[in-house]
Amino acid sequence: SSLLLMSGVVVTVGLCRRLARRRLHSRPLLFAFLVEMFSTFQICACTNELSLLGNVEPKPHTALTLTYGFTVLHGLTLAGSACNPCGTLQPMWGGGTSPRMGGLKIAAQFVAAVLARVFMHFIWSLEMAEPHLGALSQGCTSPMQTTEMQAFCIELLFSVVFQLAVLRAESVSPKYRVHLIALLITMLVYAGGNLTGAIFNPALAFSLHADCFYDKFLSYSLVYWIAPCLGKFLILYVF
């Protein structure tokens, strides 16, 4: 049921992106906003569902396999979309994207994060699959299983490694690049998922753990918003 749900989200988003391309070419701002929103919604919705499958046996093989598989799927179906505020900062820094367009895309990413959370909570309330049972009663299921300083350093390091790999992989053929990036993300999730969740995406972090941001806004914004963005700026400065 979970796989069917995530596959349905991917298909629906693909149809919405195609419809936007056909109908909104004359309105570039609205087109950019909707495409970025649809793409980020797909990643956030699927990752919300994947977060419930972390305890499926055999652990952690099932969760890691699904992480790799759906990361490849996202890479193949969401080409051209950043789906990450940190990724949107790069063209803004280099002058390839205007601040207005960059701000619009970041706004779309956070709107999608909220919509994905609301949508998944509605689906979970229907309790169509076993993992959905009791999912809404958990509240703030904190991914931070270490000190704030260690969590900050981990998310900063993972963001640097990920952004550096993305830049270095630009010269690789797209059909191989998507697998390299997916493998890297899977390795980072395996290495730090039990400590911070290995998210390094501010919009995705907010979609997954909004309740925790409400309860401990300063610490969570430091670890899951500031650390990834700082990692991105470090890479941009070095390059």
Side-chain angles (χ1 to χ4, degrees):
S1 298
S2 293
L3 292 177
L4 287 175
L5 172 62
M6 290 186 286
S7 300
V9 169
V10 172
V11 171
T12 303
V13 167
L15 293 175
C16 290
R17 281 167 54 93
R18 180 174 298 180
L19 182 63
R21 286 194 183 93
R22 290 181 177 178
R23 300 295 179 88
L24 298 175
H25 272 302
S26 60
R27 305 179 67 180
L29 290 179
L30 180 59
F31 171 75
F33 180 88
L34 289 178
V35 168
E36 194 67 32
M37 185 184 71
F38 292 144
S39 302
T40 308
F41 177 90
Q42 174 177 314
I43 288 181
C44 291
C46 291
T47 307
N48 268 279
E49 185 67 16
L50 284 173
S51 67
L52 298 182
L53 304 179
N55 293 323
V56 174
E57 297 292 344
K59 295 189 296 185
H61 305 84
T62 300
L64 293 175
T65 300
L66 291 174
T67 297
Y68 174 82
F70 274 90
T71 302
V72 171
L73 185 60
H74 295 325
L76 293 174
T77 59
L78 303 179
S81 297
C83 306
N84 186 338
C86 298
T88 307
L89 293 175
Q90 179 180 346
M92 291 177 62
W93 179 277
T97 299
S98 66
R100 182 184 182 187
M101 179 64 77
L104 189 70
K105 289 185 176 183
I106 291 175
Q109 290 158 1
F110 277 98
V111 168
V114 174
L115 291 177
R117 182 174 178 82
V118 172
F119 172 74
M120 294 308 300
H121 277 211
F122 170 73
I123 295 296
W124 293 346
S125 68
L126 302 179
E127 298 185 344
M128 296 185 298
E130 184 177 351
H132 298 173
L133 301 177
L136 297 180
S137 62
Q138 296 177 2
C140 171
T141 53
S142 175
M144 200 186 305
Q145 302 301 317
T146 184
T147 64
E148 289 183 15
M149 182 55 64
Q150 289 178 337
F152 177 86
C153 293
I154 290 172
E155 287 293 309
L156 174 63
L157 175 62
F158 283 5
S159 178
V160 168
V161 171
F162 175 71
Q163 300 297 340
L164 180 61
V166 170
L167 288 175
R168 300 298 293 179
E170 288 181 350
S171 59
V172 179
S173 173
K175 64 181 179 180
Y176 299 120
R177 184 193 311 153
V178 65
H179 290 280
L180 291 174
I181 297 300
L183 180 61
L184 174 63
I185 291 176
T186 304
M187 292 172 61
L188 293 177
V189 170
Y190 178 72
N194 62 325
L195 297 175
T196 65
I199 303 172
F200 46 90
N201 182 334
L204 178 59
F206 185 71
S207 182
L208 291 173
H209 306 292
D211 292 336
C212 299
F213 279 92
Y214 300 149
D215 295 342
K216 301 178 180 179
F217 177 78
L218 291 179
S219 62
Y220 273 76
S221 60
L222 178 68
V223 172
Y224 295 106
W225 288 355
I226 296 177
C229 292
L230 180 59
K232 182 64 176 180
F233 279 119
L234 288 175
I235 292 298
L236 292 176
Y237 179 76
V238 170
F239 271 80

